Structure formats: C-alpha cells, structure tokens
Amino acid sequence: AGDRELFPRGPEQFRAYDRRAMQAWQPLVYEEQLTFAEDGYQGYFETIKTPIRDLHGRVTGVLGVCRDITDRKRAEQEIERLAFYDALTGLPNRRLLLDRLQRSIAACQRSKNLGALLFIDLDNFKDLNDTLGHDMGDQLLSQVATRLVGSVREADTVARFGGDEFVVMLDNLNPELQGAAAQAETVAEKLLASLNQPFALGGQQHYSTPSIGITLFGDERLSVDELLKRADLAMYQAKAAGRNTQRFFDPDMQAAVNARSNLEADLRQGLAKNELLVHYQPVVDHQARLVGAEALVRWRHPQRGMISPGDFIPLAEQTGLILPLGQTVLETACRQLQRWGQDAATAHLSISVNVSARQFRQPGFVAEVLDTLKAHRADPQRLKLELTESLLLGDIEDTIVRMEQLKAQGVGFALDDFGTGYSSLSYLKRLPLDQIKIDQSFVRDVLSDPNDAAIVRTILALAKSLDLQVVAEGVETTGQLGFLRLHGCEGFQGYLFGRPVPVDLFEREHLSEAPLAAPAAGTP
Ligand code: C2E
Ligand code: MG
Ligand code: MG
C-alpha cells in the first residue's frame, strides 16, 4: 500500500524526507509520531531511508524501512519520569530541581535578573504521620503539592525535595535586591495563606502549617549546594521564630522586608485616615511675582511624624498605592484651584501636580483627570501636570496621545527633574510640553561647578529654541538666582522664595495683600 492509503496525513511530508535521503550519501534516520488511517493506531516510528543508486552512481530510488518503537519510547519516558519526578506528587524531584537551579543561575548571570529559592518544610508533619498513618501523610503531601503549584506562576518550579520538604524556585525576579526580596516575600505570603487553609483528610478537616526559608540568587556566584544550604538555614530560622512564617537568609534583607511591609500597611491606613496632606511651594517669575504653586504631598504619620515623599512615593509606586494617593493629591489641587479661581487676586495662579509614570499609564487616567477638574469646577488652564523622564522609557506614542487629549482641554505639562533622566532631544520636540523644570541638583552647584553651569546654560538655550518655559528648581541663594537670570531663566522655585507649606500658611506668606487671605484679627 502507498503512503496515501496508510496515513491520513498527506504524503508531502514523506516526500520531503525522500528528497533529503536522495541527496544524502548516508542512510537518513529519523523518528516521528504517526497515526494509521485504518484503525487510528498512534505510535512512534523509526525510519531508515537509503538512496538506491545505479552503476553510475545516479540515485534511482529510495529504500525505506520503518519500525514501531513506541514501546521503547514509553520506556524512555517512564525512566525519565522515575528519574526526575516524584512518584507520589508528580512534582520535579531533587535531581531535576538541582539541574534547573544550575541553569537558572547561569541565566541570571546573563539577564542580570535575580531568582529566589523558597525552602518549605511542613510543621509537625511527623506527628501527623505517626498518629494518622502514612496513607494520610501521603494524602496531605499530595494536597500540599497541588496548592503550591496553584500559588505560583507556570514558569516557576515547585519540587518535592524529600519527605515533607518542598522547594519553590522563582525565576526572572527584579534585578534589584530590594525588589526581588519583595517579590519573593509576596510569593511566600501567598504560599503561607494557601497552606493555612484546612485540608480534607479522610473526611476530616486537618490543619497544617509550613515554615519557609528564602534566599535570593544571581547577584553573587554561589554553588547550588550553598544556595540550598542558605534556604534551609533560613527555614530553620522561620521554625525558631514560632513556625508558620517565612524568614530570609540575610538578616539585613529580613529587616528591610519587615520595614517595608510595615510601611506599606501604614500607608494603606494613612490614606484611609486622611494622613496625607498637600503642601504648596511658590513658583515665581523673573520679577519674583507669584505665578503659581507646586502641590507636594506630605504624610503625617501618627508615630513617626512628617514623612517626606522621597521616603514613601517609591513604595507607593511599587504597591499600586500611588493610584489612590495621586487621585487624592489631584482632588486637593483641583479644589484649591476652584477656590483661587473665585477671586480676581488669585485667579491667575496655576497649580502643578506631580504624576508618576504608573499613574499616567493607568487606562482611565485622562478621563479621571478631566472628571476631577469638572467635579470641582476647576479651570483646566490652571492645572499643570509634572511628568518625569522615566515616562519616556515606555510607550512614547501612547504618552503623546494621552498628553494631547488633556492638552485639548487646556491642561498644561511640565517635564520635571530635567537633565537627570533619559530625555533625548528628539523626544523633547515631539512631546506637547509647555515647561521644563531644571533639576535642583544642577542649580545647587551652579556657581561652583563649571560642569553644572554649562548644563544649566545649555538647558536654557535649548528651551528657548524649543519655545518652552523654564522653571529652575531648588533656588536657595541670590547668587544662584543672578546666574539663572543672566542666562535667561524666567521661572523660579526654591527656599529663596518659600518652602512647601500648608495652604493657609501659603496664603498668609505669599498673598498677604490679597483679599482672599483670612482677615487677621486685630489689624486695623
Ligand atoms: P519634585 O517634583 O522635583 O519637587 C521638588 C522637591 O524639591 C520637593 O521635595 C521640594 O520640597 C524640594 N525643594 C524645593 N525647593 C528647594 C530648595 O530650595 N532646596 C532644596 N534642597 N530642596 C527644595 P519633596 O517635597 O521632598 O518632594 C520630592 C519628590 O517627591 C518630588 O520632587 C516629586 O518627584 C515627588 N512627589 C512629591 N509629591 C508628589 C505627588 O503628589 N505625587 C507624586 N507622584 N510624586 C510626588
Ligand atoms: Mg515636581
Ligand atoms: Mg523636580
């Protein structure tokens, strides 16, 4: 019978092999999976194809011999399964884990990403095994395996290390130690939460808890053995700390993780309890006349006092809390704009609001800003959004579209901390910006560091040629002011003109003549 009758799949595939065989000087050997047309039998076949030549060496045909190797394949797979997978749970075993860990370490060296090993030991497993019997013990281990697999990404490895010990390997974590530690901690918490749910064993509810030791890898060259030892040590620390918890190998890392998660919980609460306030810092023109204010968030922590944004904005960005936080600041600023808009003496003042990249990229961002303006009846012309250069690392086309949508309604844009980031001139020209803000680090040493002086002069010349307004940040001395004015700067912000302060103080300090300021009691 011909190929066409034997196999439902077209014969083109076989012809391709034939052509290759005809060109080869040696028999062609290959394996493939085939299905028979007649009875639907599926199997693995090994085929040997040999070119047949005439007396002159010309190929006249191909001889094919094909044999069923399905049994051998199955045996191979079975051997692999037995050698690399745990029979009870079906998870990768210690040997396969070591192999994957070795590969992952090498991959980390290339990608610069970090990885983590989580060593998991069930608390009091021996007691269960002794009292309820091995069958129940096995059932528990299988259920634990299922939960572990369900709690991690598909790319992560969950292995049974032996007995009641499991190891989870996380790949491709953040390149920064801090970030990777936070990610590993999040996974550990997830595993803890999942294993803390009751297990059903023989119709009975049973509780089991794990102790988890964590170590990161990829930043230094460590052997597989050393890494496992560290994770194991950390696991014992988790046991010593009372079980049902997780510990990092490195005590410094543990301290950093604790501090961070405390701060995160506090920030979540602080947002709900209105502990976040907005201070305003004056922005002035070349004649030192007030033209507006920058809204700067502050956190009045019940125990730790006033915390500056540098200490919690990065955390808010990582945890997503920047979204409610940013919205709170925006609402406060819009309410203030509406109030100032009521009075001729203050109606010209604008307010600048800092916007994090994560916030700006949020799907509903444009609508949210417009809705907030509308809800507070604030004039969009008086709102300026300060973006940072980190935004330019992302989808630049999307950034431009969003900016343009807001600009069409009158909202202005400033590029904050200019000079510290990634801005290239081509981007600067394409973005619909109104203003750039020279970072305070350049302004600080403008009189003493010729390099900084040159940068500031160049930024000013560049802004002029692109028709952008400039605000110099961090102006503290009249000397700095003199230099900036000499080179054509027309906007200023810094302690020389005023620090960020609550709005009532701002109005008293900077709008003292304005009728809007609350009439001071006792003054004639
Ligand atoms: P920024 O937007 O560049 O804000 C200017 C920073 O410089 C403010 O620090 C301000 O207090 C400080 N500053 C102003 N004048 C002077 C001066 O003369 N000398 C010195 N040494 N410093 C001066 P702050 O308030 O600590 O804010 C730090 C950063 O936190 C801000 O930098 C901004 O990037 C971020 N931030 C503040 N509020 C928010 C917010 O509501 N949302 C977001 N996403 N980020 C915010
Ligand atoms: Mg700013
Ligand atoms: Mg700035």
Side-chain angles (χ1 to χ4, degrees):
D3 292 341
R4 199 185 291 277
E5 289 87 62
L6 275 174
F7 307 106
R9 227 171 31 174
E12 303 77 32
Q13 153 111 14
F14 303 110
R15 294 287 159 273
Y17 281 121
D18 288 350
R19 276 193 297 277
R20 271 175 55 197
M22 284 160 88
Q23 281 152 17
W25 281 97
Q26 285 189 344
L28 180 71
V29 182
Y30 57 91
E31 290 176 9
E32 64 189 333
Q33 208 173 2
L34 295 175
T35 308
F36 279 87
E38 198 179 87
D39 56 358
Y41 172 76
Q42 278 190 336
Y44 279 95
F45 290 83
E46 183 188 68
T47 303
I48 303 172
K49 288 206 163 150
T50 316
I52 303 166
R53 295 168 191 283
D54 64 12
L55 288 174
H56 308 285
R58 279 182 305 233
V59 178
T60 59
V62 174
L63 173 70
V65 178
C66 188
R67 65 181 166 138
D68 189 342
I69 55 165
T70 310
D71 288 345
R72 189 184 90 200
K73 271 278 183 225
R74 285 225 180 95
E76 276 171 18
Q77 277 166 3
E78 182 62 11
I79 289 167
E80 187 186 286
R81 199 179 62 75
L82 291 173
F84 292 111
Y85 291 86
D86 169 54
L88 174 66
T89 61
L91 293 177
N93 64 12
R94 176 197 291 253
R95 193 181 297 142
L96 185 54
L97 172 75
L98 295 181
D99 181 65
R100 291 204 185 156
L101 181 55
Q102 190 82 54
R103 285 169 206 265
S104 183
I105 292 170
C108 283
Q109 302 284 332
R110 283 193 300 274
S111 68
K112 301 287 171 236
N113 286 338
L114 296 177
L117 271 190
L118 283 69
F119 201 107
I120 302 157
D121 186 282
L122 302 183
D123 300 327
N124 310 316
F125 179 75
K126 202 175 164 302
D127 295 345
L128 173 118
N129 230 357
D130 292 349
T131 51
L132 296 182
H134 287 263
D135 276 359
M136 290 299 160
D138 283 358
Q139 275 191 38
L140 178 67
L141 293 173
S142 306
Q143 292 184 30
V144 165
T146 308
R147 288 195 193 176
L148 293 178
V149 171
S151 307
V152 300
R153 298 172 306 180
E154 210 166 323
D156 300 326
T157 296
V158 177
R160 179 160 178 223
F161 205 62
D164 61 339
E165 294 171 338
F166 296 84
V167 172
V168 172
M169 183 180 87
L170 308 175
D171 270 320
N172 274 321
L173 300 180
N174 198 295
E176 309 288 337
L177 274 178
Q178 278 265 342
Q183 287 173 305
E185 196 220 5
T186 307
V187 174
E189 290 297 337
K190 228 172 135 188
L191 297 178
L192 277 166
S194 164
L195 297 187
N196 272 290
Q197 301 299 316
F199 292 87
L201 293 182
Q204 296 264 331
Q205 277 206 352
H206 183 83
Y207 286 87
S208 171
T209 60
S211 294
I212 305 180
I214 310 172
T215 191
L216 299 181
F217 60 85
D219 62 325
E220 45 181 330
R221 273 208 163 277
L222 289 173
S223 70
V224 165
D225 285 346
E226 174 63 21
L227 282 171
L228 281 165
K229 205 160 81 198
R230 288 184 168 197
D232 189 38
L233 266 173
M235 186 275 291
Y236 276 103
Q237 279 165 2
K239 291 246 187 235
R243 305 174 174 216
N244 196 21
T245 187
Q246 44 90 7
R247 280 292 177 271
F248 275 87
F249 168 72
D250 179 356
D252 289 346
M253 194 161 288
Q254 186 65 47
V257 164
N258 289 350
R260 189 181 180 280
S261 57
N262 289 344
L263 196 65
E264 183 186 340
D266 283 5
L267 184 55
R268 214 173 275 280
Q269 282 217 342
L271 267 166
K273 292 198 201 147
N274 292 323
E275 287 166 16
L276 287 126
L277 321 167
V278 175
H279 283 186
Y280 295 88
Q281 184 177 33
V283 179
V284 303
D285 69 6
H286 62 294
Q287 293 182 309
R289 282 178 311 207
L290 186 69
V291 293
E294 176 171 3
L296 292 158
V297 70
R298 298 287 179 269
W299 179 10
R300 191 163 36 200
H301 191 284
Q303 282 89 43
R304 297 170 52 184
M306 210 58 106
I307 308 185
S308 64
D311 294 332
F312 64 88
I313 291 285
L315 176 77
E317 286 173 342
Q318 284 167 28
T319 53
L321 287 172
I322 193 67
L323 301 178
L325 188 157
Q327 182 59 18
T328 304
V329 174
L330 185 66
E331 274 169 18
T332 311
C334 286
R335 210 173 298 130
Q336 194 55 49
L337 276 178
Q338 192 274 334
R339 279 193 205 127
W340 282 346
Q342 299 292 298
D343 195 302
T346 51
H348 67 290
L349 297 178
S350 64
I351 296 182
S352 303
V353 172
N354 294 283
V355 174
S356 291
R358 169 124 189 222
Q359 225 181 319
F360 187 84
R361 293 235 174 280
Q362 187 70 1
F365 179 72
V366 170
E368 218 168 272
V369 172
L370 295 177
D371 287 351
T372 310
L373 279 162
K374 211 182 217 166
H376 294 90
R377 279 168 289 124
D379 181 0
Q381 303 272 355
R382 300 281 169 262
L383 179 66
K384 223 175 226 97
L385 299 182
E386 295 195 1
L387 309 178
T388 55
E389 292 171 78
S390 64
L391 202 67
L392 304 178
L393 287 176
D395 182 350
I396 190 84
E397 303 303 331
D398 177 61
T399 300
I400 294 172
V401 169
R402 283 172 191 241
M403 286 174 79
E404 252 144 23
Q405 285 168 342
L406 286 164
K407 233 180 135 65
Q409 306 300 314
V411 177
F413 286 97
L415 195 56
D416 204 357
D417 306 338
F418 187 74
T420 57
Y422 315 85
S423 302
S424 78
L425 290 180
S426 57
Y427 282 160
L428 210 51
K429 264 199 276 195
R430 294 189 55 203
L431 295 177
L433 289 168
D434 304 275
Q435 184 181 86
I436 56 183
K437 301 188 81 168
I438 304 181
D439 191 63
Q440 56 187 41
S441 60
F442 303 114
V443 174
R444 189 187 313 124
D445 299 322
V446 83
L447 293 179
S448 55
D449 184 337
N451 211 11
D452 285 352
I455 290 171
V456 168
R457 280 202 310 271
T458 313
I459 295 176
L460 286 166
L462 174 75
K464 190 165 189 160
S465 74
L466 291 173
D467 207 22
L468 292 169
Q469 303 162 16
V470 179
V471 170
E473 289 188 288
V475 182
E476 295 184 353
T477 68
T478 49
Q480 293 164 340
L481 177 65
F483 178 95
L484 289 159
R485 286 174 64 165
L486 183 67
H487 291 95
C489 188
E490 303 208 318
F492 309 94
Q493 187 182 339
Y495 297 167
L496 183 63
F497 305 99
R499 291 177 179 255
V501 287
V503 71
D504 47 346
L505 198 57
F506 181 92
E507 291 180 342
R508 236 178 296 148
E509 281 178 4
H510 303 288
L511 303 169
S512 44
E513 284 98 275
L516 185 123
T523 33

